[in-house]
Amino acid sequence: MNSSIKYWLYVGSVSLLLTACDSRLDVVPTQSIEQGQALNTEQDVQITLTGAYDGLNTSAAAQNGANLFGGAFQYIGDLLGDNRDVVFGGTYATIDEIWRKTVTTSNTVNRDVWLNSYSTINRTNNVLSALPKVSEANRGNIEGQARFIRGAVYFELVKLYGKSWNDGTATANAGVPLVLTPTTSVSDADYRARNTVAEVYTQVLDDLTKAESLLPATQSGGTGFATKGAAAAILARVYLQQQNYAAARDAANRVIASGTYSLESNFTDVFNDATNDNELIFKIIITDQDGVNDMNTFYASVPNQGRGDVRVQSKFRQLYAAGDVRGTFFNTAGQNTFTSKFNDQYGDVPVVRLAEMYLVRAETNQRLNTSIGATPLADVNLIRNRAKAAPLTAVDLNAVLLERRLELAFEGQQLADIKRTAGTVGTVAYNANNLVLPIPQREIDTNKKLVQNPGYN
């Protein structure tokens, strides 16, 4: 806590929490400003934008611990979509509920994901409302970064709290409330109903499309900041989730063809901060001073500074053929096996990387019987070659989807892929009620306009 007032938006309840404390040791941070101080200067806007990035990975000192792209979005996508490829052996009942698909409306991880997401969205709304204060030279870049963050967060929210796009009811089923203007005080107008899944996707596409048009190819801060390629990469994910294969293919191809990124020569280098700058398109920056790498916290073994909670089972490891280095990218502690993707406690968290774009292009070209950029076989073998896996002589859709699973394991795409392909989690259908998170109970209790998801009391 610090001397500047931090405030968080609870959409649904729209509770505004004003917290402050007095201490001679308190220091005004660079990611927040006094609530009573209007965004009067470009510096104020830039500080608020920095706060929006900070919101993507809640720091250890923050009140609420679900840190969005610093781990929560990823492990929820993995564990909610898991069918005993892993075992969650930790003591956190809240995360165990997610793995078992028995999430309660009082689950605090679920609550904090909602809370921190809307806090971050509110920061981007403040930035966007103050763009006239920004110089013309910097305005487009700042707007693009704010829109990227807002669009990316809303995409994750609608996947978690709304039914799948392809279940045929996107225009009727409830998604999440769209809040596109700053909230600084609470009135009846701030109690929002849920927008439909289709409406949320429309806003996500609008934000990310505008972001891609406004952002530069690179940022001085590196891949921890939104770029044209990052916006296109998340657009590729959105279009793929919508089964708009041509648009997904073209977005992925734009990233690849830009020449801004390149595959690392060795698969293991992708997960080493010292060697992965070429491949990562967007990441969450972690330091020993700020931020938490919850992929390390839950996926890494105790000797690698993790809790050793997510234990990879032989059922999954046996999917890799002999010689595939991805099949040996694990470590053992005691009787349990863990992925080696997140061994560094202060390693940056990959959000999207170039290998995924090759696999998006391969899948969509396969589905459309096209070869934009390259053939599906060429793209798949490019990824397999890097992993020292034997090249394929032909591919079909199942082969491409399997390659995606092998390459992107434990990176948060499991549930999204099951839903968009109308698959199952064991015997649970992709559109089952318990594969959608409940609206947190505190939001339901406060905002009577919110309707709870089916299957939750």
Side-chain angles (χ1 to χ4, degrees):
M1 192 175 293
N2 52 63
S3 60
S4 81
I5 299 175
K6 292 183 177 180
Y7 56 94
W8 292 268
L9 170 65
Y10 289 73
V11 168
S13 67
V14 198
S15 303
L16 208 60
L17 302 182
L18 300 180
T19 63
C21 67
D22 295 322
S23 169
R24 286 174 293 179
L25 298 179
D26 286 343
V27 179
V28 177
T30 59
Q31 74 270 16
S32 60
I33 60 172
E34 295 286 349
Q35 185 195 5
Q37 175 184 341
L39 298 182
N40 288 323
T41 69
E42 183 169 326
Q43 182 182 21
D44 294 338
V45 178
Q46 184 62 62
I47 288 170
T48 306
L49 178 61
T50 301
Y53 279 107
D54 189 67
L56 295 180
N57 180 42
T58 305
S59 67
Q63 282 192 332
N64 302 287
N67 62 4
L68 306 188
F69 284 114
F73 285 150
Q74 292 95 321
Y75 67 67
I76 291 173
D78 280 346
L79 297 178
L80 204 57
D82 176 65
N83 180 34
R84 293 281 174 166
D85 286 337
V86 302
V87 166
F88 182 80
T91 58
Y92 281 91
T94 50
I95 301 180
D96 188 63
E97 284 182 5
I98 294 169
W99 178 61
R100 295 181 185 276
K101 293 79 171 162
T102 57
V103 183
T104 60
T105 59
S106 60
N107 184 294
T108 55
V109 169
N110 180 48
R111 177 201 67 191
D112 292 347
V113 164
W114 180 283
L115 168 64
N116 292 337
S117 293
Y118 278 104
S119 167
T120 301
I121 288 167
N122 199 44
R123 296 175 193 184
T124 65
N125 289 340
N126 275 284
V127 170
L128 293 169
S129 72
L131 286 175
K133 304 295 184 181
V134 179
S135 64
E136 186 174 349
N138 296 327
R139 191 177 304 155
N141 190 358
I142 287 177
E143 178 181 355
Q145 291 181 72
R147 285 186 176 274
F148 170 83
I149 294 169
R150 187 171 71 178
V153 172
Y154 267 127
F155 179 47
E156 297 301 323
L157 287 177
V158 76
K159 287 188 296 177
L160 291 177
Y161 294 99
K163 283 295 183 81
S164 181
W165 172 271
N166 55 309
D167 80 343
T169 56
T171 58
N173 278 345
V176 294
L178 285 173
V179 182
L180 306 176
T181 56
T183 300
T184 56
S185 61
V186 180
S187 67
D188 288 344
D190 295 302
Y191 293 92
R192 309 290 180 89
R194 298 170 67 180
N195 290 80
T196 66
V197 169
E199 288 169 337
V200 179
Y201 268 90
T202 296
Q203 182 60 48
V204 168
L205 290 173
D206 181 67
D207 273 341
L208 293 174
T209 300
K210 288 177 179 174
E212 185 183 3
S213 71
L214 291 167
L215 287 167
T218 60
Q219 297 277 14
S220 59
T223 55
F225 297 87
T227 60
K228 189 178 295 294
I234 303 300
L235 273 172
R237 283 184 177 176
V238 178
Y239 286 128
L240 192 65
Q241 205 67 28
Q242 289 185 305
Q243 299 177 320
N244 186 343
Y245 299 125
R249 176 200 61 196
D250 294 346
N253 190 58
R254 288 197 299 276
V255 178
I256 297 166
S258 71
T260 305
Y261 314 97
S262 60
L263 292 179
E264 298 299 338
S265 300
N266 299 308
F267 178 77
T268 57
D269 288 342
V270 179
F271 302 94
N272 184 333
D273 282 357
T275 57
N276 64 12
D277 280 348
N278 293 323
E279 182 161 339
L280 296 193
I281 299 170
F282 184 69
K283 67 182 180 182
I284 298 298
I285 298 173
I286 308 293
T287 72
D288 58 1
Q289 300 297 316
D290 183 60
V292 176
N293 181 339
D294 265 351
M295 300 307 284
N296 172 268
T297 301
F298 298 113
Y299 284 77
S301 61
V302 173
N304 287 307
Q305 297 81 47
R307 288 174 46 87
D309 288 345
V310 180
R311 302 161 186 178
V312 185
Q313 302 301 288
S314 60
K315 170 190 173 184
F316 177 75
R317 301 196 305 273
Q318 290 168 359
L319 294 175
Y320 295 94
D324 189 331
V325 300
R326 298 171 300 187
T328 60
F329 200 53
F330 300 97
N331 62 90
T332 300
Q335 300 299 311
N336 298 310
T337 300
F338 307 90
T339 177
S340 291
K341 286 188 173 182
F342 311 108
N343 285 347
D344 184 354
Q345 182 179 12
Y346 300 114
D348 298 335
V349 180
V351 174
V352 61
R353 54 191 179 90
L354 185 63
E356 181 182 343
M357 295 299 100
Y358 279 109
L359 293 169
V360 170
R361 191 172 72 176
E363 178 184 339
T364 51
N365 270 325
Q366 182 72 28
R367 290 181 181 276
L368 297 170
N369 194 28
T370 57
S371 56
I372 299 298
T375 65
L377 179 62
D379 278 341
V380 168
N381 276 338
L382 185 69
I383 301 302
R384 291 180 65 81
N385 179 66
R386 195 262 297 273
K388 305 297 188 293
L392 302 178
T393 58
V395 294
D396 58 14
L397 183 58
N398 287 335
V400 178
L401 292 174
L402 176 59
E403 198 63 38
R404 180 180 173 89
R405 188 179 180 197
L406 298 177
E407 177 71 21
L408 302 179
F410 319 118
E411 295 181 49
Q413 299 305 303
Q414 176 82 344
L415 182 63
D417 283 350
I418 289 170
K419 288 189 172 184
R420 68 180 180 81
T421 58
T424 61
V425 180
T427 60
V428 178
Y430 76 100
N431 58 353
N433 291 337
N434 65 339
L435 296 185
V436 178
L437 293 180
I439 305 302
Q441 190 61 44
R442 65 181 300 153
E443 310 300 329
I444 295 291
D445 290 344
T446 306
N447 179 6
K448 302 309 177 184
K449 291 183 181 180
L450 285 178
V451 176
Q452 184 57 274
N453 279 324
Y456 297 98
N457 296 323

